Amino acid sequence: MIPSQWTSNQPEQIVLTLRILLGLAVLSLAPALLITLTSFTRIIIVLSFLRSALGTQQTPPNAVLVSFALFLTFFIMQPVLKQANEQGVKPYLAGAVTSEEALAAVGAPLRDFMFRQTREKDLALFVEIAHLPPPATAAEVPFRVIMPSFIVSELKSAFQMGFVLYVPFLVIDIVVASSLMSMGMLMVPPVMISLPVKILLFVMVDGWHLITQSVVLSFR
């Protein structure tokens, strides 16, 4: 038997219930949206590559890396958030626009940000998979195409930066291992020598400053 509340003759009540359910669904997806539709993906992958290249295992801890990545994400996305607030949130709270217009205004800055970071090759891939005609302008590309294209482009950019980070530390590992082998010190683990050398080199070149600068400037 269908409950009486589901057979209400008040359309406003049904619409309000659907809006509440939709809002709860959006809130549940907020962490995934934060990870995939912002600069967070590239930052956290680069930091993970850095820790792996250093060979420090759990130093810095995951909580520190994630927190640092979140703060950098908010710093990088601040112009986008400011523009979305001024164009969409404030007019909606003032009653100047409808919810649909406010949502479109909020999504426009994020759309522009993702489009600037997305490679044409990845965008063309998902346009082809979706069987859509080639768009003439960026505004004609639907959000469902931009989102996966942006994620694929971010993954490639992050792995490229991670490879560049890995090379100097890999050279140190090779040099240390070759030196120990040439001296006949086969029982000495190379990591005992290479780890402090890599940490010393990273500190001497002010590695955290360089990594932060490179990651932030890569989004311009």
Side-chain angles (χ1 to χ4, degrees):
M1 185 175 181
I2 301 176
S4 59
Q5 60 267 28
W6 294 101
T7 60
S8 174
N9 293 325
Q10 300 178 359
E12 296 82 2
Q13 182 178 357
I14 298 176
V15 171
L16 179 60
T17 303
L18 292 177
R19 286 186 175 181
I20 293 175
L21 292 176
L22 181 60
L24 292 176
V26 171
L27 289 177
S28 64
L29 292 175
L33 296 177
L34 173 64
I35 292 174
T36 56
L37 302 185
T38 62
S39 58
F40 181 83
T41 300
R42 185 188 304 184
I43 297 172
I44 193 63
I45 292 177
V46 170
L47 294 178
S48 299
F49 267 113
L50 173 62
R51 185 174 64 180
S52 179
L54 284 171
T56 53
Q57 298 181 357
Q58 294 301 318
T59 304
N62 289 331
V64 175
L65 289 185
V66 172
S67 300
F68 183 46
L70 283 173
F71 282 117
L72 285 182
T73 299
F74 289 132
F75 177 80
I76 294 171
M77 301 299 296
Q78 192 272 338
V80 177
L81 297 176
K82 181 179 179 180
Q83 188 177 357
N85 181 56
E86 293 178 352
Q87 295 181 359
V89 178
K90 287 184 177 179
Y92 177 71
L93 294 178
V97 296
T98 62
S99 58
E100 290 79 9
E101 294 173 340
L103 184 61
V106 168
L110 180 60
R111 178 192 184 94
D112 294 339
F113 170 79
M114 292 193 298
F115 202 85
R116 290 197 307 269
Q117 308 300 326
T118 304
R119 298 182 303 161
E120 293 183 4
K121 182 179 180 181
D122 297 327
L123 193 64
L125 171 64
F126 285 96
V127 168
E128 180 181 357
I129 294 176
H131 302 289
L132 297 176
T137 61
E140 297 180 3
V141 182
F143 233 100
R144 65 186 179 95
V145 171
I146 295 181
M147 289 190 292
S149 305
F150 170 76
I151 296 172
V152 173
S153 297
E154 286 294 283
L155 290 174
K156 180 175 181 179
S157 299
F159 272 72
Q160 287 175 335
M161 298 180 68
F163 173 77
V164 174
L165 281 175
Y166 238 105
V167 171
F169 297 112
L170 179 62
V171 171
I172 294 176
D173 288 332
I174 294 174
V175 171
V176 170
S178 301
S179 301
L180 292 177
M181 185 176 297
S182 64
M183 291 186 295
M185 304 174 64
L186 301 179
M187 301 302 294
V188 179
V191 69
M192 291 183 60
I193 309 298
S194 63
L195 179 57
V197 172
K198 289 189 290 187
I199 294 177
L200 178 61
L201 175 64
F202 188 73
V203 172
M204 290 180 61
V205 300
D206 200 1
W208 287 113
H209 176 85
L210 294 176
I211 294 299
T212 303
Q213 182 183 31
S214 300
V215 171
V216 172
L217 293 181
S218 68
F219 288 95
R220 293 187 178 179

